[in-house]
Structure formats: C-alpha cells, structure tokens
Amino acid sequence: MERFVTPTAPKVISDSIPTAFEAAVAGKEPVFVPQQVFTDDRGWSLMNQLLGVMKPEGQVNFSVQYPGVIKAWHRHSLQTDFWICLTGHIKVGVYREDDQKAWLAVIGEKKPGVMIIPPPLWHGAATVGDTQAGLLYYVTHAYNAKQPDEQRRAHDSVPGFPWGVRHG
C-alpha cells in the first residue's frame, strides 16, 4: 500500500544565513529565513540576502516560471540551493526519501525570505496564482554539463504531495 505524505512547514530560523545553512545541512531538512523588506518613497529592496554563504565555486541564476507550472522533483548530492522568489509566489515542496518526510511553504513577494535546501533532499516548485514567478537562486556548486549534480523524478511521484491549490 502506498503511503501518502503530509507536508509540514519547514523550520524557520530568524538568524544569519550562514547559521541557517549550517542547521539545514546538519538536520538534512529545509530551513526558511524570513527577510525584511526595506521600503521608502522610492520603492522597496531586500538586502544582504546571501551574505556569508556565497563562494567562488557557486553560481547565481534567475528563472521565470509560468502560471500553472510544476517544476519537480530533483535533488543533488553535492549542492545546496538557496531560493529567493522575487516576483510572484511559488509553493516550495521538499521531500526526504529516507523517512518519507515532506515540507511545503509558499514564498514570494508577500513572504520574502531565503529557502535553504541541502542535499540529498528532493525539491521542486509550483507557481501560485495566475502570474509568473521569478526565482533568484544561488547554488553552492556551479552547473557542470559533463557531470550534472542532479537526479530527476516525475512531479507526481511523491504520493499525496499537494502541488495544487488546497481549498477549504
């Protein structure tokens, strides 16, 4: 009989990004670090998002995800991902295969912060709402086309994971 997962919210650490990074790796679990939005009459900004974790072997990327898209599941054996949804919102899904533990969080414009996802956790994202989402992400190891640090599986391969809207 297939066991259905019941995702919980990831641990929230309101400390430095390096401290949260250490906790995520040590616990083999995702960690969310809320960030402050600085606003004035000129606009708004998020500052010092990845202070203390960026290294020369890492890579910064930006990806746009269209409404209705689910990009899942994949995992890495070496790299840790740091996700910041700058525009729109995404539902982040994380799954630990060893004990079938799952986590879920919505992050984005109205909930700014950094989601830290260490190896070997399966992870992915679904766009929330009817607007595209823009994801700025840092990975601790740059992409190597000859030996990609990535495994993939189907978006529906974790039984019961709620990628869709949860009404009620």
Side-chain angles (χ1 to χ4, degrees), residues 2-21:
E2 264 187 318
R3 181 174 167 219
F4 287 87
V5 299
T6 304
T8 59
K11 182 184 292 183
V12 175
I13 296 181
S14 297
D15 202 336
S16 71
I17 298 292
T19 299
F21 179 26

Side-chain angles (χ1 to χ4, degrees), residues 15 20 38 54 74 80 86 92-93 95 98 103-105 123 138 156:
D15 202 336
F38 296 93
M54 294 181 74
H74 72 278
T80 295
L86 296 176
V92 178
Y95 177 66
D98 295 349
W103 296 269
L104 181 151
H123 52 284
Y138 169 71
D156 59 357

